[in-house]
Amino acid sequence: MKVLILGSGVIGTTAAYYLARAGFEVEVIDRQPAPAMETSYANAGEVSPGYSAPWAGPGVPLKAIKWLLMRHRPLVIRPALDPALLRWCAAMLRNCTHARYRINKARMVRLAEYSRDCLRELREDTGIAYDARQQGTLQLFRTQRQLDDTGKDIEILRESGVAFELLDRHGYLRYEPALELVKDKFVGALRLPGDETGDCFKFTQNLAAMAQSLGAKFRFGVDIQRLESEGGELRGVHTDAGPCRADAYVLALGSYSPLLLAPVGIRIPVYPVKGYSLTLPISEERYAPQSTIMDETHKVAVTRLGDRIRVGGTAELAGYDRRLHQSRRRTLNHVVGDLFPRGGDAAQAEFWTGLRPMTPDGTPVIGATPLRRLFLATGHGTLGWTMAAGTGRVIADLIAGRAPDISLDGLGVERYRD
């Protein structure tokens, strides 16, 4: 049985690995010259099931107004007459309730915890190297209000069995001693010890090589043009290199997935939310982060990746615009300099942007579609590659006709039919 995977980012590549390991004939096609060259290239580096939370939540509309007015703002909206954006924003607002937040966060935590366990198993089985660390995530709070607002998240963490620690200044310095230089800026922290870090690009590149050793074929520089359907079934994929046919198809094109799906009658509210990152070399080891730090005020993550620091953040609503804006670089520079003023060399930083495939409720879209033989794996933008290993394994199970080890309730395309 042949499976054709559209997209060689971390989601598509992970699915390719699991399918090839299960004995399927696998072909992956992508317009880029190598795996993980777009959104998977330089994300924040977090594998953070404990931090899984939808962006849509109680109080977010008012917070969004505040964020838009900040000098180093975490949210940017570039006005455009985009009906897809208006529909996505309206759907997001409908999810900004206590009831919807609890449901969506519980779904995200369920998948993220499962995916983290799959990643650990994969790492043990293969020895894959990707600058991995298993030292948790530290969410830093600059105000007492931020610290007090963690109550609703902690309740869901308890219900989901996710380990956590609430820490004062002395407590978080045990895990991130370099923060000693700036400790007076923070009132406390939430530590999630089960979280991990790692370079998504290195992981994807190395896993693609492992999939190839199992027989998977990767074809790069192939532009995917449209899907061909007939009688409620996907019959093929048209590319600039000619038609491609298989027995099953996996669409893992991130933010570009809806553009291919709409002409065949499938509509999912995945929208590109642009993020930025800096990657800078460590200048003084003892003043650098040990794992991942989340600055709750600026919504920016600072992550240790080997001998580098990755700084990722900003939610920019600008459609498919991938231009680099220097104002966003200044924000990332400000945060890393504010947290680790002697940790890295910002003058040598690589500045990057990517399009997160976001759903209004934060949960990804995984599984079968109304179009027979077509499976979806997209909408992972809220937490990026935290959910990659679990998604790849679920897709392989579904195509093999096995029931996945995790409930997919609320994670498929069917939840959008209303």
Side-chain angles (χ1 to χ4, degrees):
M1 180 178 179
K2 180 178 179 179
V3 182
L4 180 66
I5 299 175
L6 312 182
S8 68
V10 66
I11 302 295
T13 299
T14 307
Y17 170 79
Y18 280 111
L19 285 162
R21 194 177 74 171
F24 289 92
E25 179 187 353
V26 178
E27 183 176 354
V28 184
I29 56 176
D30 196 293
R31 66 184 178 187
Q32 294 293 342
M37 295 303 294
E38 292 196 28
T39 303
S40 300
Y41 179 74
N43 63 21
E46 301 169 82
V47 180
S48 301
Y51 194 68
S52 297
W55 288 8
V60 165
L62 290 178
K63 289 179 182 178
I65 296 172
K66 177 183 176 182
W67 292 333
L68 288 168
L69 298 176
M70 290 171 60
R71 178 185 176 191
H72 295 292
R73 53 191 185 273
L75 175 65
V76 177
I77 300 177
R78 300 195 181 278
L81 295 175
D82 185 350
L85 173 58
L86 296 176
R87 288 193 299 269
W88 187 89
C89 288
M92 184 177 181
L93 288 173
R94 290 196 296 272
N95 280 277
C96 289
T97 67
H98 287 283
R100 293 305 308 172
Y101 182 85
R102 287 183 61 84
I103 291 170
N104 295 331
K105 182 175 176 67
R107 287 171 172 170
M108 292 176 68
V109 169
R110 183 177 78 237
L111 176 60
E113 287 276 304
Y114 171 72
S115 188
R116 191 267 322 279
D117 293 344
C118 290
L119 178 61
R120 287 176 174 173
E121 181 182 309
L122 191 155
R123 190 168 60 235
E124 291 171 2
D125 290 345
T126 66
I128 188 170
Y130 55 97
D131 287 333
R133 289 188 170 218
Q134 295 83 45
Q135 297 185 33
T137 295
L138 199 66
Q139 187 179 5
L140 287 173
F141 306 110
R142 294 175 184 262
T143 68
Q144 189 62 42
R145 174 68 180 274
Q146 291 174 345
L147 186 59
D148 294 342
D149 284 347
T150 61
K152 61 182 181 297
D153 286 333
I154 287 174
E155 184 180 346
I156 298 172
L157 292 175
R158 283 197 180 104
E159 292 174 357
S160 303
V162 178
F164 68 91
E165 294 178 86
L166 270 179
L167 303 169
D168 59 14
R169 287 191 182 104
H170 298 291
Y172 66 69
L173 289 176
R174 292 200 308 270
Y175 302 103
E176 290 291 348
L179 292 173
E180 174 71 34
L181 295 178
V182 296
K183 64 181 180 181
D184 292 338
K185 295 180 180 181
F186 305 99
V187 300
L190 176 67
R191 182 170 182 262
L192 301 158
D195 287 5
E196 303 182 1
T197 59
D199 188 326
C200 181
F201 174 75
K202 286 186 176 181
F203 174 86
T204 307
Q205 291 251 315
N206 290 337
L207 194 66
M210 292 178 181
Q212 288 174 306
S213 71
L214 294 172
K217 179 180 179 182
F218 284 71
R219 294 175 58 201
F220 297 109
V222 177
D223 188 49
I224 301 163
Q225 298 172 333
R226 64 182 177 90
L227 305 179
E228 176 189 339
S229 64
E230 182 180 344
E233 182 175 274
L234 185 61
R235 295 296 183 89
V237 177
H238 288 260
T239 76
D240 63 350
C244 298
R245 306 198 185 279
D247 301 296
Y249 303 82
V250 179
L251 182 58
L253 290 174
S255 297
Y256 296 91
S257 300
L259 304 183
L260 278 180
L261 291 171
V264 294
I266 300 174
R267 286 176 172 79
I268 55 171
V270 169
Y271 193 80
V273 178
K274 190 175 179 182
Y276 293 83
S277 77
L278 289 176
T279 306
L280 51 155
I282 290 174
S283 52
E284 294 188 62
E285 169 68 30
R286 65 183 177 135
Y287 294 118
Q290 296 303 307
S291 187
T292 292
I293 293 86
M294 282 295 308
D295 185 326
E296 183 61 18
T297 297
H298 296 98
K299 302 294 184 182
V300 169
V302 181
T303 302
R304 173 70 169 266
L305 297 175
D307 59 357
R308 300 162 297 146
I309 298 173
R310 174 71 49 77
V311 190
T314 302
E316 184 175 304
L317 298 172
Y320 291 88
D321 178 4
R322 296 184 60 193
R323 288 176 294 178
L324 287 162
H325 295 284
Q326 291 303 310
S327 57
R328 307 281 69 77
R329 180 170 191 154
R330 288 192 289 271
T331 293
L332 299 179
N333 273 331
H334 167 75
V335 173
V336 70
D338 196 46
L339 293 175
F340 301 99
R342 296 170 62 178
D345 186 354
Q348 297 187 51
E350 177 187 6
F351 186 36
W352 172 88
T353 188
L355 302 178
R356 305 182 188 96
M358 296 282 293
T359 61
D361 59 13
T363 54
V365 187
I366 304 170
T369 72
L371 196 61
R372 292 190 301 276
R373 301 201 296 168
L374 175 62
F375 296 81
L376 291 188
T378 187
H380 297 74
T382 303
L383 270 183
W385 82 290
T386 296
M387 300 180 182
T391 297
R393 190 161 177 172
V394 164
I395 290 294
D397 285 341
L398 292 173
I399 290 177
R402 295 189 299 265
D405 294 331
I406 178 176
S407 167
L408 296 181
D409 177 49
L411 299 177
V413 69
E414 70 279 352
R415 73 184 186 276
Y416 295 119
R417 293 182 186 174
D418 58 352

